[in-house]
Amino acid sequence: MKPLTEQEIRAAFVNCTKGETKRLSVPRDLADRPWGDLDYLGWRDPQAPDRAYLVTELDARPIAVALRCPGPASWQARRSMCSMCLTAHTGGVSLMVAPKAGKARQQGNSVGAYICSDLACSLYVRGKKDAGAGSRPQESLTLEEKIQRTAANVAAFLAKVTA
């Protein structure tokens, strides 16, 4: 993923009002992010723990969505698998819900997916972050194929948000 500026990130949101986009918290350490290892940039809002954001490139332009995620619950102590990168975590996967874009958003429609709570799917796939023993299934896919699968899963989720 190519590095993005705060202005590019704010302009990329498809499921927020302009006011919401202005108020959301963008990471201050954008220059320090491992952009070359990211399929998407994801972060949790430090001021609002139930909010998260995801930005990626589709068709050579950035697209961003706001997500809602519940606080930790007792059922999350079970082992769950991320639907984006297929990493299994104990308590490290959250149901993240994105309001749909456009008119569907105004009608209250949303789309959800189970995603790594820390939004570090790209780093788990590349082995740069470890979720513990047994967190990654044994596969015959190459690293590049796993990266492509994760990117395709993110793109499919965003397609549902923007549909």
Side-chain angles (χ1 to χ4, degrees):
M1 184 171 180
K2 77 174 184 81
L4 298 171
T5 65
E6 180 177 342
Q7 184 177 0
E8 289 173 315
I9 291 170
R10 289 187 190 279
F13 278 91
V14 296
N15 67 343
C16 295
T17 66
K18 288 183 181 180
E20 289 169 332
T21 302
K22 282 183 183 178
R23 291 187 302 273
L24 64 85
S25 177
V26 175
R28 299 285 176 227
D29 64 345
L30 291 175
D32 299 330
R33 296 289 172 131
W35 292 100
D37 290 327
L38 297 180
D39 303 307
Y40 68 84
L41 172 65
W43 72 98
R44 301 289 289 254
D45 190 330
Q47 276 74 40
D50 65 333
R51 291 179 189 254
Y53 306 99
L54 186 150
V55 185
T56 193
E57 290 178 347
L58 290 178
D59 300 324
R61 70 185 225 332
I63 181 171
V65 294
L67 304 163
R68 291 243 182 221
C69 35
S74 60
W75 65 267
Q76 288 179 310
R78 291 186 302 184
R79 194 161 191 78
S80 302
M81 184 174 281
C82 173
S83 61
M84 300 297 155
C85 66
L86 304 185
T87 299
H89 299 268
T90 300
V93 174
S94 297
L95 174 62
M96 298 203 185
V97 179
K100 290 191 85 166
K103 194 169 209 135
R105 179 184 189 272
Q106 295 168 349
Q107 296 170 346
N109 295 329
S110 60
V111 177
Y114 287 95
I115 304 175
C116 293
S117 297
D118 60 2
L119 296 152
C121 295
S122 303
L123 302 179
Y124 290 120
V125 168
R126 288 167 175 79
K128 301 205 180 243
K129 194 166 185 180
D130 185 21
S135 62
R136 299 282 311 153
Q138 201 65 9
E139 297 181 290
S140 60
L141 297 177
T142 66
L143 176 60
E144 188 57 38
E145 290 170 328
K146 292 175 188 177
I147 291 168
Q148 289 173 359
R149 178 183 59 202
T150 300
N153 290 342
V154 171
F157 175 68
L158 293 175
K160 291 176 188 174
V161 173
T162 57

